[in-house]
Amino acid sequence: MNDELQHLKNLGKTSAQWLHAVGIHSASDLRRLGAVDAYRAVRTRGFRASKVLLYAIEGALMDVHWNDLPAERKEALNQQLDAISTRHKA
């Protein structure tokens, strides 16, 4: 099976399976949702994904290795995630 997600930088078999499990099947699905919402969907589904998955998805969208994301970008992703989490707890 030709899995489009696995061909994106940073995404391997497991992360692609997690994304498929939450209804993300293509790069355009991923772009439409964005890294933060895709990561939240995976976590909400119960998968024990670390923040590296968040950075990996963002890197895949930007076509850079997740480790090469600027620290400011990682911080912005974390702030988005925190803001959404805070809103959902209120």
Side-chain angles (χ1 to χ4, degrees):
M1 179 173 140
N2 186 10
D3 187 341
E4 180 184 339
L5 293 174
Q6 283 188 54
H7 293 290
L8 296 176
K9 198 174 294 251
N10 307 315
L11 300 183
K13 185 176 182 176
T14 300
S15 48
Q17 287 173 335
W18 288 346
L19 291 167
H20 284 302
V22 298
I24 299 168
H25 302 291
S26 67
S28 59
D29 289 344
L30 201 53
R31 264 190 295 283
R32 196 167 36 254
L33 210 52
V36 172
D37 287 336
Y39 173 77
R40 283 191 66 248
V42 168
R43 293 284 303 195
T44 300
R45 183 75 193 274
F47 295 111
R48 295 174 57 108
S50 72
K51 288 275 181 81
V52 171
L53 179 64
L54 174 62
Y55 307 147
I57 294 169
E58 182 70 8
L61 293 172
M62 297 173 68
D63 196 33
V64 299
H65 188 277
W66 70 268
N67 227 8
D68 294 332
L69 284 177
E72 307 80 52
R73 186 66 198 128
K74 289 180 183 176
E75 185 54 34
L77 291 168
N78 286 317
Q79 287 174 356
Q80 273 183 273
L81 190 62
D82 292 344
I84 292 168
S85 299
T86 302
R87 272 202 310 272
H88 285 276
K89 286 179 188 161

